[in-house]
Amino acid sequence: MFILGISCFYHDSAACLIKNGEIIAAAQEERFSRIKHDQSFPKKSIKYCLKEANISENQISNIVFYEKPLLKFERLLETYLAYAPKGFKSFLKSMPLWIKDKLFQKSIINKELKDLFGNKIDWNKIILFSEHHLSHAASAFYPSPFENAAIITIDGVGEWATTSISEGDGKKIKLIKEIHFPHSLGLLYSAFTYYAGFKVNSGEYKLMGLAPYGKPVYVNKIKENLIKIELDGSFKLNMKYFNFTTGLTMTNKKFHNLFGGVPRKSESEITQKEMDLAASIQKITEEVVINISKYAFKETGLKNLCIAGGVALNCVANGVLLREKIFENIWIQPAAGDAGGALGAALSIWHLYYKKDRKIDKLKYDSMKGSYLGPSYTDKEIEEELKKIGAKYVMLELEDLIEKVAIDITKNKAVGWMQGRMEFGPRALGSRSILADARSPSMQKQLNLKVKFRESFRPFAPSILSNNVSEWFDHKEDSPYMLFVSDVKSNKLINNKDNSELFGIEKLNVARSEVPAITHVDNSARIQTVHKDTNEIFHKLISKFYEITKCPLIVNTSFNVRGEPIVCSPSDAFKCFMGTDLDVLVIGNFYLEKKDQNKIVENYTNEYELD
């Protein structure tokens, strides 16, 4: 039985196909459309999923949407009524869109499917709907390696829920507690994202990366005015300071007055104020996550925890939670945001609607297949694309390719790396990655400014051989999805003299460890442990680099420029290669050097809106 899950119409549209409970394929629409956070109906993702499974549309048993539009509409109406007449402008703007496109979503989905596949199938008979936070919870629990676990989901808002605690047992998920809109940790974090001058729903990770440059001087002010935090994990926002319930912005004048001015203008200079605000809201987030987790443990008594929802991508908070040792084991869905809702929706139907048992393979980390669930390309397909775009390349045997690239990295070259199936979720995990030498003191700034074209303060992550992680970091657990931040080992740190006189971005210029390109200003790093059984070629590359340098880790960042989705096809990869200061491009067994190319891509970054 094939079940297709879809998420769309808000942000990060995606499709996922499962077969008898096994995850076959999953991808975000943005990777195909090349529109960052594409919210449109995921036609291209659906077509990919069916192609990957080698099936036709008439073999689909059910199509499942990741949330319930009528419940969401109910929340919208009740919110406007509760705050009336305030928000009338926002009401007038949103109602026509809801009535035209969103309220009758089943008919909209039916129409989109007919446009995609024709009129042969009565899609209305097989379309089902899951609830938003159930989809998140299902995406967290069912692929996990646990027979039973507490489940926490935290995001902006679904229908009504913004936070939920559930218990997973076998094929069952039982809801224990929910926190409802407008009280939302995700929206609180987004409000500070907005106030700091970053884009909501895409800039939150920048705020997290900015936090170590600042000091949490606003924590008490936030607690005294914006949020009341209870020991049982519940919380309430003071809505007098926010505008997201009925307005067109996240914050209001009262919020601005509290912090001494209007929101920072996008792309303007980042000041110590923004850094301190980032540090403060990060501390608040960590406190709430810890409280919720303690309550979940108290209520369930279980040793395992699964997490999903947009806040689950806050890998700094995840690292704090791991170190608290509230639970023995933690598993986080790599596509924790709305894209992963497509996966959770499909799995919830299989296990809850059809009541099918789970099959847990004790020999595997989980059932996500390393999150390598997107398209791959054969050597023939790659060569056809490279010839078509006029690329100059050589084809190498795998072992020769691995050695050549490892040596390139030691020579301070930046490498575009495209191998195997594309990752599902926001992280590049060694299939669509830019790779570099973590030992280089200049590499972090070089990659940010000349390759990624993004803010200089943003950190890079290390990919490290799984057997070596505890030698370099205060971290013992697997972290294959780059979802935990841990400290670099003290014996790997250098220049430990007092740098307290440095402020803000000045801290960036201090080499802090033997691997400065991945060591953040607080001596931390967002770790990916690389495993042979899920990504053999990437494991071989890092192993060869280790053999040459005695360093078992390299820089790994997503293969894209700022505002662009991660590359999907060979043509995407070549375009990014030629439009940046990347030195080398590797696609499958094909090796390309910048100096050999004669094609120039002009104004590449202008094609994408700034994130």
Side-chain angles (χ1 to χ4, degrees), residues 526-556:
R526 188 182 74 216
I527 303 164
Q528 181 201 5
T529 54
V530 179
H531 304 257
K532 187 177 180 180
D533 59 341
T534 53
N535 197 330
E536 185 177 5
I537 294 176
F538 195 38
H539 190 275
K540 279 186 175 183
L541 175 64
I542 302 175
S543 297
K544 177 58 69 172
F545 183 81
Y546 183 29
E547 180 185 314
I548 297 169
T549 65
K550 307 305 178 189
C551 178
L553 63 93
I554 58 176
V555 173
N556 174 13

PDB file of all heavy atoms in Angstrom, residues 526-556:
ATOM      1  N   ARG A 526      28.131  22.771  15.731  1.00  0.00           N
ATOM      2  CA  ARG A 526      26.946  21.962  15.404  1.00  0.00           C
ATOM      3  C   ARG A 526      27.436  20.723  14.658  1.00  0.00           C
ATOM      4  O   ARG A 526      27.891  20.802  13.529  1.00  0.00           O
ATOM      5  CB  ARG A 526      25.982  22.778  14.537  1.00  0.00           C
ATOM      6  CG  ARG A 526      24.644  22.121  14.300  1.00  0.00           C
ATOM      7  CD  ARG A 526      23.776  22.987  13.402  1.00  0.00           C
ATOM      8  NE  ARG A 526      24.190  22.965  12.015  1.00  0.00           N
ATOM      9  CZ  ARG A 526      24.147  24.002  11.194  1.00  0.00           C
ATOM     10  NH1 ARG A 526      23.746  25.166  11.634  1.00  0.00           N
ATOM     11  NH2 ARG A 526      24.525  23.893   9.938  1.00  0.00           N
ATOM     12  N   ILE A 527      27.319  19.582  15.289  1.00  0.00           N
ATOM     13  CA  ILE A 527      28.043  18.377  14.853  1.00  0.00           C
ATOM     14  C   ILE A 527      27.187  17.476  13.956  1.00  0.00           C
ATOM     15  O   ILE A 527      26.018  17.218  14.245  1.00  0.00           O
ATOM     16  CB  ILE A 527      28.482  17.561  16.078  1.00  0.00           C
ATOM     17  CG1 ILE A 527      29.350  18.423  17.010  1.00  0.00           C
ATOM     18  CG2 ILE A 527      29.229  16.305  15.673  1.00  0.00           C
ATOM     19  CD1 ILE A 527      29.510  17.836  18.390  1.00  0.00           C
ATOM     20  N   GLN A 528      27.817  16.984  12.891  1.00  0.00           N
ATOM     21  CA  GLN A 528      27.264  15.856  12.142  1.00  0.00           C
ATOM     22  C   GLN A 528      28.229  14.680  12.264  1.00  0.00           C
ATOM     23  O   GLN A 528      29.392  14.776  11.870  1.00  0.00           O
ATOM     24  CB  GLN A 528      27.068  16.166  10.659  1.00  0.00           C
ATOM     25  CG  GLN A 528      26.466  14.965   9.914  1.00  0.00           C
ATOM     26  CD  GLN A 528      26.695  14.976   8.411  1.00  0.00           C
ATOM     27  OE1 GLN A 528      27.393  15.843   7.880  1.00  0.00           O
ATOM     28  NE2 GLN A 528      26.117  14.015   7.706  1.00  0.00           N
ATOM     29  N   THR A 529      27.740  13.577  12.823  1.00  0.00           N
ATOM     30  CA  THR A 529      28.539  12.352  12.833  1.00  0.00           C
ATOM     31  C   THR A 529      28.246  11.579  11.547  1.00  0.00           C
ATOM     32  O   THR A 529      27.092  11.389  11.180  1.00  0.00           O
ATOM     33  CB  THR A 529      28.203  11.476  14.058  1.00  0.00           C
ATOM     34  OG1 THR A 529      26.789  11.237  14.111  1.00  0.00           O
ATOM     35  CG2 THR A 529      28.638  12.154  15.341  1.00  0.00           C
ATOM     36  N   VAL A 530      29.312  11.161  10.869  1.00  0.00           N
ATOM     37  CA  VAL A 530      29.171  10.510   9.555  1.00  0.00           C
ATOM     38  C   VAL A 530      29.383   9.011   9.710  1.00  0.00           C
ATOM     39  O   VAL A 530      30.371   8.564  10.305  1.00  0.00           O
ATOM     40  CB  VAL A 530      30.179  11.103   8.550  1.00  0.00           C
ATOM     41  CG1 VAL A 530      30.047  10.415   7.195  1.00  0.00           C
ATOM     42  CG2 VAL A 530      29.944  12.606   8.406  1.00  0.00           C
ATOM     43  N   HIS A 531      28.444   8.254   9.154  1.00  0.00           N
ATOM     44  CA  HIS A 531      28.412   6.806   9.333  1.00  0.00           C
ATOM     45  C   HIS A 531      28.553   6.099   7.986  1.00  0.00           C
ATOM     46  O   HIS A 531      27.913   6.488   6.995  1.00  0.00           O
ATOM     47  CB  HIS A 531      27.103   6.395  10.007  1.00  0.00           C
ATOM     48  CG  HIS A 531      26.869   7.100  11.308  1.00  0.00           C
ATOM     49  ND1 HIS A 531      27.069   6.495  12.524  1.00  0.00           N
ATOM     50  CD2 HIS A 531      26.471   8.378  11.584  1.00  0.00           C
ATOM     51  CE1 HIS A 531      26.806   7.357  13.497  1.00  0.00           C
ATOM     52  NE2 HIS A 531      26.441   8.504  12.949  1.00  0.00           N
ATOM     53  N   LYS A 532      29.341   5.066   7.975  1.00  0.00           N
ATOM     54  CA  LYS A 532      29.610   4.332   6.734  1.00  0.00           C
ATOM     55  C   LYS A 532      28.353   3.701   6.150  1.00  0.00           C
ATOM     56  O   LYS A 532      28.179   3.649   4.935  1.00  0.00           O
ATOM     57  CB  LYS A 532      30.659   3.253   7.003  1.00  0.00           C
ATOM     58  CG  LYS A 532      31.146   2.526   5.760  1.00  0.00           C
ATOM     59  CD  LYS A 532      32.237   1.527   6.106  1.00  0.00           C
ATOM     60  CE  LYS A 532      32.727   0.798   4.856  1.00  0.00           C
ATOM     61  NZ  LYS A 532      33.800  -0.175   5.187  1.00  0.00           N
ATOM     62  N   ASP A 533      27.458   3.231   7.021  1.00  0.00           N
ATOM     63  CA  ASP A 533      26.294   2.494   6.522  1.00  0.00           C
ATOM     64  C   ASP A 533      25.230   3.388   5.898  1.00  0.00           C
ATOM     65  O   ASP A 533      24.373   2.901   5.164  1.00  0.00           O
ATOM     66  CB  ASP A 533      25.682   1.635   7.624  1.00  0.00           C
ATOM     67  CG  ASP A 533      25.228   2.437   8.825  1.00  0.00           C
ATOM     68  OD1 ASP A 533      25.698   3.583   8.971  1.00  0.00           O
ATOM     69  OD2 ASP A 533      24.400   1.928   9.608  1.00  0.00           O
ATOM     70  N   THR A 534      25.259   4.709   6.170  1.00  0.00           N
ATOM     71  CA  THR A 534      24.259   5.600   5.563  1.00  0.00           C
ATOM     72  C   THR A 534      24.832   6.464   4.444  1.00  0.00           C
ATOM     73  O   THR A 534      24.099   6.877   3.551  1.00  0.00           O
ATOM     74  CB  THR A 534      23.614   6.525   6.625  1.00  0.00           C
ATOM     75  OG1 THR A 534      24.642   7.192   7.348  1.00  0.00           O
ATOM     76  CG2 THR A 534      22.734   5.729   7.575  1.00  0.00           C
ATOM     77  N   ASN A 535      26.140   6.780   4.493  1.00  0.00           N
ATOM     78  CA  ASN A 535      26.756   7.584   3.433  1.00  0.00           C
ATOM     79  C   ASN A 535      28.206   7.126   3.258  1.00  0.00           C
ATOM     80  O   ASN A 535      29.147   7.752   3.742  1.00  0.00           O
ATOM     81  CB  ASN A 535      26.704   9.077   3.763  1.00  0.00           C
ATOM     82  CG  ASN A 535      26.939   9.940   2.540  1.00  0.00           C
ATOM     83  OD1 ASN A 535      27.644   9.550   1.610  1.00  0.00           O
ATOM     84  ND2 ASN A 535      26.360  11.131   2.533  1.00  0.00           N
ATOM     85  N   GLU A 536      28.364   6.027   2.546  1.00  0.00           N
ATOM     86  CA  GLU A 536      29.667   5.380   2.422  1.00  0.00           C
ATOM     87  C   GLU A 536      30.693   6.260   1.719  1.00  0.00           C
ATOM     88  O   GLU A 536      31.861   6.328   2.127  1.00  0.00           O
ATOM     89  CB  GLU A 536      29.523   4.047   1.683  1.00  0.00           C
ATOM     90  CG  GLU A 536      30.815   3.244   1.621  1.00  0.00           C
ATOM     91  CD  GLU A 536      30.636   1.891   0.958  1.00  0.00           C
ATOM     92  OE1 GLU A 536      29.525   1.606   0.467  1.00  0.00           O
ATOM     93  OE2 GLU A 536      31.619   1.124   0.929  1.00  0.00           O
ATOM     94  N   ILE A 537      30.282   6.970   0.664  1.00  0.00           N
ATOM     95  CA  ILE A 537      31.237   7.784  -0.100  1.00  0.00           C
ATOM     96  C   ILE A 537      31.719   8.969   0.726  1.00  0.00           C
ATOM     97  O   ILE A 537      32.915   9.283   0.739  1.00  0.00           O
ATOM     98  CB  ILE A 537      30.599   8.244  -1.431  1.00  0.00           C
ATOM     99  CG1 ILE A 537      30.334   7.045  -2.327  1.00  0.00           C
ATOM    100  CG2 ILE A 537      31.497   9.253  -2.149  1.00  0.00           C
ATOM    101  CD1 ILE A 537      29.630   7.373  -3.627  1.00  0.00           C
ATOM    102  N   PHE A 538      30.817   9.637   1.417  1.00  0.00           N
ATOM    103  CA  PHE A 538      31.204  10.764   2.275  1.00  0.00           C
ATOM    104  C   PHE A 538      32.126  10.270   3.396  1.00  0.00           C
ATOM    105  O   PHE A 538      33.111  10.932   3.752  1.00  0.00           O
ATOM    106  CB  PHE A 538      29.947  11.419   2.845  1.00  0.00           C
ATOM    107  CG  PHE A 538      30.172  12.778   3.452  1.00  0.00           C
ATOM    108  CD1 PHE A 538      31.059  13.687   2.899  1.00  0.00           C
ATOM    109  CD2 PHE A 538      29.462  13.170   4.591  1.00  0.00           C
ATOM    110  CE1 PHE A 538      31.251  14.946   3.456  1.00  0.00           C
ATOM    111  CE2 PHE A 538      29.647  14.421   5.152  1.00  0.00           C
ATOM    112  CZ  PHE A 538      30.551  15.308   4.581  1.00  0.00           C
ATOM    113  N   HIS A 539      31.810   9.124   3.942  1.00  0.00           N
ATOM    114  CA  HIS A 539      32.647   8.522   4.983  1.00  0.00           C
ATOM    115  C   HIS A 539      34.050   8.232   4.438  1.00  0.00           C
ATOM    116  O   HIS A 539      35.055   8.474   5.121  1.00  0.00           O
ATOM    117  CB  HIS A 539      31.988   7.241   5.494  1.00  0.00           C
ATOM    118  CG  HIS A 539      32.620   6.663   6.721  1.00  0.00           C
ATOM    119  ND1 HIS A 539      33.716   5.812   6.666  1.00  0.00           N
ATOM    120  CD2 HIS A 539      32.324   6.819   8.043  1.00  0.00           C
ATOM    121  CE1 HIS A 539      34.056   5.462   7.893  1.00  0.00           C
ATOM    122  NE2 HIS A 539      33.229   6.054   8.753  1.00  0.00           N
ATOM    123  N   LYS A 540      34.119   7.746   3.216  1.00  0.00           N
ATOM    124  CA  LYS A 540      35.422   7.462   2.593  1.00  0.00           C
ATOM    125  C   LYS A 540      36.234   8.736   2.398  1.00  0.00           C
ATOM    126  O   LYS A 540      37.447   8.750   2.603  1.00  0.00           O
ATOM    127  CB  LYS A 540      35.217   6.781   1.233  1.00  0.00           C
ATOM    128  CG  LYS A 540      34.936   5.298   1.297  1.00  0.00           C
ATOM    129  CD  LYS A 540      34.887   4.694  -0.105  1.00  0.00           C
ATOM    130  CE  LYS A 540      34.734   3.177  -0.027  1.00  0.00           C
ATOM    131  NZ  LYS A 540      34.753   2.551  -1.368  1.00  0.00           N
ATOM    132  N   LEU A 541      35.573   9.799   2.000  1.00  0.00           N
ATOM    133  CA  LEU A 541      36.275  11.065   1.774  1.00  0.00           C
ATOM    134  C   LEU A 541      36.882  11.587   3.074  1.00  0.00           C
ATOM    135  O   LEU A 541      38.067  11.967   3.113  1.00  0.00           O
ATOM    136  CB  LEU A 541      35.320  12.100   1.187  1.00  0.00           C
ATOM    137  CG  LEU A 541      35.911  13.506   1.017  1.00  0.00           C
ATOM    138  CD1 LEU A 541      37.057  13.501   0.014  1.00  0.00           C
ATOM    139  CD2 LEU A 541      34.827  14.500   0.591  1.00  0.00           C
ATOM    140  N   ILE A 542      36.086  11.622   4.136  1.00  0.00           N
ATOM    141  CA  ILE A 542      36.606  12.131   5.409  1.00  0.00           C
ATOM    142  C   ILE A 542      37.692  11.200   5.951  1.00  0.00           C
ATOM    143  O   ILE A 542      38.685  11.653   6.532  1.00  0.00           O
ATOM    144  CB  ILE A 542      35.467  12.318   6.428  1.00  0.00           C
ATOM    145  CG1 ILE A 542      34.405  13.271   5.880  1.00  0.00           C
ATOM    146  CG2 ILE A 542      36.009  12.876   7.747  1.00  0.00           C
ATOM    147  CD1 ILE A 542      33.177  13.424   6.760  1.00  0.00           C
ATOM    148  N   SER A 543      37.520   9.897   5.723  1.00  0.00           N
ATOM    149  CA  SER A 543      38.536   8.937   6.156  1.00  0.00           C
ATOM    150  C   SER A 543      39.861   9.182   5.434  1.00  0.00           C
ATOM    151  O   SER A 543      40.941   9.097   6.051  1.00  0.00           O
ATOM    152  CB  SER A 543      38.065   7.501   5.906  1.00  0.00           C
ATOM    153  OG  SER A 543      36.907   7.205   6.663  1.00  0.00           O
ATOM    154  N   LYS A 544      39.810   9.478   4.155  1.00  0.00           N
ATOM    155  CA  LYS A 544      41.027   9.773   3.383  1.00  0.00           C
ATOM    156  C   LYS A 544      41.665  11.077   3.882  1.00  0.00           C
ATOM    157  O   LYS A 544      42.896  11.173   4.024  1.00  0.00           O
ATOM    158  CB  LYS A 544      40.700   9.857   1.894  1.00  0.00           C
ATOM    159  CG  LYS A 544      41.875  10.238   0.993  1.00  0.00           C
ATOM    160  CD  LYS A 544      43.042   9.257   1.124  1.00  0.00           C
ATOM    161  CE  LYS A 544      42.737   7.890   0.539  1.00  0.00           C
ATOM    162  NZ  LYS A 544      43.965   7.033   0.509  1.00  0.00           N
ATOM    163  N   PHE A 545      40.831  12.081   4.147  1.00  0.00           N
ATOM    164  CA  PHE A 545      41.338  13.344   4.701  1.00  0.00           C
ATOM    165  C   PHE A 545      42.015  13.092   6.055  1.00  0.00           C
ATOM    166  O   PHE A 545      43.079  13.652   6.349  1.00  0.00           O
ATOM    167  CB  PHE A 545      40.182  14.336   4.843  1.00  0.00           C
ATOM    168  CG  PHE A 545      40.585  15.687   5.342  1.00  0.00           C
ATOM    169  CD1 PHE A 545      41.129  16.634   4.486  1.00  0.00           C
ATOM    170  CD2 PHE A 545      40.424  16.033   6.683  1.00  0.00           C
ATOM    171  CE1 PHE A 545      41.515  17.885   4.950  1.00  0.00           C
ATOM    172  CE2 PHE A 545      40.799  17.277   7.157  1.00  0.00           C
ATOM    173  CZ  PHE A 545      41.345  18.211   6.283  1.00  0.00           C
ATOM    174  N   TYR A 546      41.408  12.250   6.866  1.00  0.00           N
ATOM    175  CA  TYR A 546      41.965  11.877   8.176  1.00  0.00           C
ATOM    176  C   TYR A 546      43.313  11.181   8.015  1.00  0.00           C
ATOM    177  O   TYR A 546      44.272  11.459   8.742  1.00  0.00           O
ATOM    178  CB  TYR A 546      40.952  10.967   8.884  1.00  0.00           C
ATOM    179  CG  TYR A 546      41.308  10.531  10.277  1.00  0.00           C
ATOM    180  CD1 TYR A 546      42.094  11.312  11.117  1.00  0.00           C
ATOM    181  CD2 TYR A 546      40.828   9.312  10.771  1.00  0.00           C
ATOM    182  CE1 TYR A 546      42.401  10.902  12.410  1.00  0.00           C
ATOM    183  CE2 TYR A 546      41.128   8.900  12.067  1.00  0.00           C
ATOM    184  CZ  TYR A 546      41.917   9.692  12.876  1.00  0.00           C
ATOM    185  OH  TYR A 546      42.213   9.289  14.157  1.00  0.00           O
ATOM    186  N   GLU A 547      43.374  10.296   7.036  1.00  0.00           N
ATOM    187  CA  GLU A 547      44.622   9.566   6.763  1.00  0.00           C
ATOM    188  C   GLU A 547      45.752  10.527   6.395  1.00  0.00           C
ATOM    189  O   GLU A 547      46.904  10.357   6.818  1.00  0.00           O
ATOM    190  CB  GLU A 547      44.379   8.573   5.622  1.00  0.00           C
ATOM    191  CG  GLU A 547      45.571   7.740   5.210  1.00  0.00           C
ATOM    192  CD  GLU A 547      45.252   6.886   3.986  1.00  0.00           C
ATOM    193  OE1 GLU A 547      44.175   6.246   3.954  1.00  0.00           O
ATOM    194  OE2 GLU A 547      46.077   6.871   3.049  1.00  0.00           O
ATOM    195  N   ILE A 548      45.428  11.568   5.639  1.00  0.00           N
ATOM    196  CA  ILE A 548      46.435  12.535   5.182  1.00  0.00           C
ATOM    197  C   ILE A 548      46.813  13.519   6.285  1.00  0.00           C
ATOM    198  O   ILE A 548      47.984  13.872   6.447  1.00  0.00           O
ATOM    199  CB  ILE A 548      45.908  13.305   3.952  1.00  0.00           C
ATOM    200  CG1 ILE A 548      45.678  12.351   2.772  1.00  0.00           C
ATOM    201  CG2 ILE A 548      46.869  14.422   3.536  1.00  0.00           C
ATOM    202  CD1 ILE A 548      44.907  12.980   1.617  1.00  0.00           C
ATOM    203  N   THR A 549      45.829  13.965   7.063  1.00  0.00           N
ATOM    204  CA  THR A 549      46.038  15.103   7.973  1.00  0.00           C
ATOM    205  C   THR A 549      45.994  14.756   9.456  1.00  0.00           C
ATOM    206  O   THR A 549      46.352  15.595  10.292  1.00  0.00           O
ATOM    207  CB  THR A 549      44.954  16.163   7.733  1.00  0.00           C
ATOM    208  OG1 THR A 549      43.670  15.607   8.102  1.00  0.00           O
ATOM    209  CG2 THR A 549      44.921  16.614   6.282  1.00  0.00           C
ATOM    210  N   LYS A 550      45.514  13.558   9.804  1.00  0.00           N
ATOM    211  CA  LYS A 550      45.261  13.168  11.202  1.00  0.00           C
ATOM    212  C   LYS A 550      44.129  13.986  11.829  1.00  0.00           C
ATOM    213  O   LYS A 550      43.982  14.035  13.051  1.00  0.00           O
ATOM    214  CB  LYS A 550      46.525  13.302  12.067  1.00  0.00           C
ATOM    215  CG  LYS A 550      47.739  12.572  11.513  1.00  0.00           C
ATOM    216  CD  LYS A 550      47.445  11.107  11.263  1.00  0.00           C
ATOM    217  CE  LYS A 550      48.657  10.395  10.657  1.00  0.00           C
ATOM    218  NZ  LYS A 550      48.324   9.016  10.207  1.00  0.00           N
ATOM    219  N   CYS A 551      43.328  14.600  10.974  1.00  0.00           N
ATOM    220  CA  CYS A 551      42.142  15.346  11.430  1.00  0.00           C
ATOM    221  C   CYS A 551      40.903  14.671  10.847  1.00  0.00           C
ATOM    222  O   CYS A 551      40.742  14.634   9.621  1.00  0.00           O
ATOM    223  CB  CYS A 551      42.226  16.802  10.972  1.00  0.00           C
ATOM    224  SG  CYS A 551      40.779  17.800  11.429  1.00  0.00           S
ATOM    225  N   PRO A 552      39.992  14.128  11.671  1.00  0.00           N
ATOM    226  CA  PRO A 552      38.867  13.326  11.181  1.00  0.00           C
ATOM    227  C   PRO A 552      37.602  14.126  10.863  1.00  0.00           C
ATOM    228  O   PRO A 552      36.500  13.572  10.862  1.00  0.00           O
ATOM    229  CB  PRO A 552      38.612  12.367  12.335  1.00  0.00           C
ATOM    230  CG  PRO A 552      38.915  13.204  13.538  1.00  0.00           C
ATOM    231  CD  PRO A 552      40.037  14.131  13.149  1.00  0.00           C
ATOM    232  N   LEU A 553      37.755  15.436  10.613  1.00  0.00           N
ATOM    233  CA  LEU A 553      36.563  16.244  10.350  1.00  0.00           C
ATOM    234  C   LEU A 553      36.856  17.313   9.305  1.00  0.00           C
ATOM    235  O   LEU A 553      37.995  17.729   9.122  1.00  0.00           O
ATOM    236  CB  LEU A 553      36.046  16.880  11.642  1.00  0.00           C
ATOM    237  CG  LEU A 553      36.961  17.873  12.368  1.00  0.00           C
ATOM    238  CD1 LEU A 553      36.671  19.303  11.944  1.00  0.00           C
ATOM    239  CD2 LEU A 553      36.796  17.737  13.871  1.00  0.00           C
ATOM    240  N   ILE A 554      35.790  17.731   8.613  1.00  0.00           N
ATOM    241  CA  ILE A 554      35.882  18.794   7.624  1.00  0.00           C
ATOM    242  C   ILE A 554      34.688  19.739   7.778  1.00  0.00           C
ATOM    243  O   ILE A 554      33.698  19.400   8.428  1.00  0.00           O
ATOM    244  CB  ILE A 554      35.913  18.239   6.173  1.00  0.00           C
ATOM    245  CG1 ILE A 554      34.664  17.390   5.887  1.00  0.00           C
ATOM    246  CG2 ILE A 554      37.185  17.443   5.913  1.00  0.00           C
ATOM    247  CD1 ILE A 554      34.579  16.881   4.443  1.00  0.00           C
ATOM    248  N   VAL A 555      34.796  20.913   7.186  1.00  0.00           N
ATOM    249  CA  VAL A 555      33.667  21.845   7.130  1.00  0.00           C
ATOM    250  C   VAL A 555      32.617  21.284   6.177  1.00  0.00           C
ATOM    251  O   VAL A 555      32.929  20.822   5.089  1.00  0.00           O
ATOM    252  CB  VAL A 555      34.118  23.230   6.617  1.00  0.00           C
ATOM    253  CG1 VAL A 555      32.902  24.143   6.406  1.00  0.00           C
ATOM    254  CG2 VAL A 555      35.110  23.871   7.571  1.00  0.00           C
ATOM    255  N   ASN A 556      31.366  21.346   6.595  1.00  0.00           N
ATOM    256  CA  ASN A 556      30.249  20.943   5.735  1.00  0.00           C
ATOM    257  C   ASN A 556      29.147  21.989   5.843  1.00  0.00           C
ATOM    258  O   ASN A 556      28.544  22.162   6.905  1.00  0.00           O
ATOM    259  CB  ASN A 556      29.708  19.576   6.156  1.00  0.00           C
ATOM    260  CG  ASN A 556      28.458  19.180   5.381  1.00  0.00           C
ATOM    261  OD1 ASN A 556      28.111  19.795   4.375  1.00  0.00           O
ATOM    262  ND2 ASN A 556      27.794  18.131   5.839  1.00  0.00           N
TER     263      ASN A 556
END
